[in-house]
Amino acid sequence: MNDLHDKFTEYLTQQDQRYTTQRREIVDAIINKKDHFEIDEFISEVHLQGKRLARATVYRTVKQLLDAKLIQKIDAGNGRIYYEYNEALQHHDHIICNQCGKILEIKNNHIEKAIKLECNKLGFQAEYRSLHIYGTCKECQNN
Amino acid sequence: MNDLHDKFTEYLTQQDQRYTTQRREIVDAIINKKDHFEIDEFISEVHLQGKRLARATVYRTVKQLLDAKLIQKIDAGNGRIYYEYNEALQHHDHIICNQCGKILEIKNNHIEKAIKLECNKLGFQAEYRSLHIYGTCKECQNN
DNA sequence: ATGCGTGCAAATACTTTGCATGCCC
DNA sequence: GGGCATGCAAAGTATTTGCACGCAT
């Protein structure tokens, strides 16, 4: 049993909601994709597999997963919106290259700590964050 | 003369584009608003002042200002999208309360440094970032 | 004068919603 | 069996685009 299923089950139970076949399938697909995905591409893939799944259901489920902090939304800046599984609820941040569009995932304790300290100072109880750094990656700087 | 006008002029010149009346008015309005604004609210206000200004022009100009890194986009999570003037190009980050929707702006050198170090490590040339922290503010924790 | 930028409206894209039916608990 | 969730289509929003005309350079 995967962590994401457990967490989502827990969330749904709390909200007195049901873990339906569709919700289960969407979560499975997210786990299998591993990295970031787009709503549209996601729906196409599911349909290619011959499964019936309504757009609306995907939007509804994604909203719940966001609300449950199990996935996060990434605005790649060029009009594309990605979603990504928050593996084991460990926050990782994103570095996005404006040239080639590549997305690097980082996890840095100093950043983590600095943010926690600032929140403590303000008495703010942080639940979740989104940090995206845009610029030019090593490879693209050489072009 | 305001910094934002200068910077935008510089950007437009680089791109061989013109500093039109509309662009100037949009920039003025942004400077006067100071804090974050929404496209829709923004257009209404300009229209209330009796000025003629097309939606499309606002979208086009906002896109350029984003591209020039002079304003930044904030996704408040509840479906609302804000834009905000990047004062003097100093990066400040946002703390957003999920209960009351309040947005706090922070500027913290430790966060700044930790991010710079991580980028240096990766050889990534950062131009811009967006950091949003979501949670519950001090006041709302007491309710 | 030249041609980029604007305004307008239509087109497109994205997301939500109402309602009848199906399926989880 | 009761009622929440789904699928479908239609309605909302948000954003982009084509084209004729106006204005900045």
Side-chain angles (χ1 to χ4, degrees), chain B residues 12 14 29 38 40 66 70 72 76 88 95 99 106 129:
Chain B
L12 290 172
Q14 274 173 14
E38 284 174 285
D40 237 55
L66 280 173
L70 295 175
Q72 72 172 290
I95 294 191
Q99 309 298 315
I106 59 169
R129 75 151 180 278

Side-chain angles (χ1 to χ4, degrees), chain A residues 28-140:
Chain A
D28 272 338
I30 289 172
I31 292 171
N32 289 332
K33 277 199 92 32
K34 289 199 178 77
D35 57 345
H36 37 85
F37 65 92
E38 286 174 283
I39 298 267
D40 238 52
E41 166 215 34
F42 178 77
I43 293 173
S44 309
E45 287 184 15
V46 174
H47 283 173
L48 276 179
Q49 292 168 32
K51 289 176 191 155
R52 204 166 80 126
L53 184 60
R55 282 192 99 61
T57 303
V58 175
Y59 275 105
R60 283 188 275 237
T61 305
V62 161
K63 205 169 213 176
Q64 292 175 309
L65 286 164
L66 280 173
D67 188 50
K69 322 280 186 227
L70 295 174
I71 61 176
Q72 72 172 291
K73 190 177 180 181
I74 305 173
D75 188 332
N78 46 17
R80 285 167 177 272
I81 307 285
Y82 298 99
Y83 294 89
E84 183 183 87
Y85 175 23
N86 266 343
E87 196 110 30
L89 284 184
Q90 299 198 355
H91 283 306
H92 58 268
D93 305 310
H94 295 94
I95 293 192
I96 300 166
C97 178
N98 285 329
Q99 310 298 314
C100 65
K102 188 169 52 195
I103 300 181
L104 301 170
E105 292 174 9
I106 59 168
K107 185 150 176 19
N108 178 303
N109 284 326
H110 294 103
I111 296 176
E112 198 90 31
K113 271 184 204 159
I115 290 175
K116 277 205 181 110
L117 278 172
E118 176 68 22
C119 288
N120 288 344
K121 206 178 81 187
L122 295 171
F124 188 86
Q125 188 183 338
E127 287 166 14
Y128 177 68
R129 75 152 179 277
S130 122
L131 167 58
H132 301 127
I133 303 167
Y134 302 88
T136 312
C137 73
K138 210 171 188 172
E139 289 71 33
C140 288

Side-chain angles (χ1 to χ4, degrees), chain B residues 22-39:
Chain B
Q22 288 84 345
R23 286 177 181 157
R24 213 180 300 270
E25 275 186 351
I26 291 170
V27 168
D28 272 338
I30 289 172
I31 292 171
N32 290 333
K33 276 200 90 38
K34 289 197 178 77
D35 56 346
H36 37 83
F37 64 93
E38 284 174 285
I39 298 269

